[in-house]
Amino acid sequence: MIIKISVPSRFRLKKTATFRTILMQNQGEIHYIGGADVLPAPLTLEEETRTLACLGTEEEKEARSRLIEHNLRLVVYIAKKFDNTSVGVEDLISIGCIGLIKAVNSFDSGKGRLATYACRCIDNELLMMLRTKRKSNRETSLYEPIG
C-alpha cells in the first residue's frame, strides 16, 4: 500500500511499502489525501445511488470505502475553512475524515445526497474538536507558576 499525503505549499509525505506490505499486497491500493488535483473525483448522482444501494449487502465494505474516498475533496474543502485556527491543516483533515466516516455510517439514502449530510457531520466534528481544544487551553498547570 502506498499512501501519499500532500497539502499544497505546506506538507508532503510519501510512505512507501514496508517489508510486511510487500509480502501481503493488495493490488491497486493507493490512497491520496491532500490537494484537489490528486483526490478522486466526486461520484455522480447515479454512481452514488448505485453505491448506496450496495450498503447492507456483501459488498458493503467496498461501497463504504468508495463513498469515503470520493468525498475526501469535501473534507479538504471544509478543513480549509478552519485554516485560520491554530490547528494544522493535516489535523483538520484527519478530524474531518472521522466526521466523513461517521456520516457514511449513519446516512439514510432517503434523505437526499450524501455530500449535503456529510458536510454537516464534518463541520460538527471539526467544531467539537476546536471546542475541546479551547477548553483544554484554559487549564493551567500549577507547576508552571511554582517551578
Side-chain angles (χ1 to χ4, degrees):
M1 172 170 52
I2 299 172
I3 299 175
K4 293 181 180 179
I5 300 173
S6 74
V7 176
S9 74
R10 290 181 186 243
F11 176 76
R12 295 186 190 279
L13 168 73
K14 179 181 178 185
K15 180 181 176 191
T16 56
T18 61
F19 183 72
R20 187 177 137 226
T21 57
I22 290 173
L23 293 177
M24 299 185 303
Q25 285 184 357
N26 293 335
Q27 295 208 358
E29 193 170 328
I30 299 176
H31 302 279
Y32 296 101
I33 300 173
D37 57 335
V38 295
L39 294 172
L43 296 173
T44 63
L45 184 59
E46 295 83 25
E47 291 174 331
E48 185 177 310
T49 52
R50 270 188 267 128
T51 308
L52 287 171
C54 292
L55 296 178
T57 64
E58 316 152 338
E59 302 166 350
E60 184 172 12
K61 257 187 168 176
E62 293 84 17
R64 285 187 195 279
S65 65
R66 186 167 186 217
L67 288 170
I68 292 168
E69 287 171 12
H70 286 276
N71 283 297
L72 284 175
R73 285 183 189 216
L74 181 64
V75 173
V76 173
Y77 175 75
I78 294 171
K80 286 186 179 182
K81 287 184 186 179
F82 294 92
D83 197 23
N84 60 352
T85 61
S86 62
V87 182
V89 177
E90 299 85 19
D91 293 334
L92 292 171
I93 291 172
S94 64
I95 297 296
C97 286
I98 293 170
L100 177 62
I101 292 168
K102 287 181 179 180
V104 169
N105 289 336
S106 64
F107 181 67
D108 180 21
S109 59
K111 293 183 179 178
R113 298 256 354 224
L114 173 66
T116 307
Y117 179 72
C119 182
R120 298 295 295 170
C121 292
I122 295 165
D123 204 28
N124 287 339
E125 197 71 28
L126 289 169
L127 288 172
M128 284 192 314
M129 185 266 305
L130 291 172
R131 286 183 193 121
T132 56
K133 186 173 183 196
R134 188 179 308 146
K135 284 181 185 177
S136 66
N137 283 346
R138 283 191 230 150
E139 298 173 1
T140 55
S141 172
L142 291 176
Y143 180 75
E144 291 173 8
I146 295 172

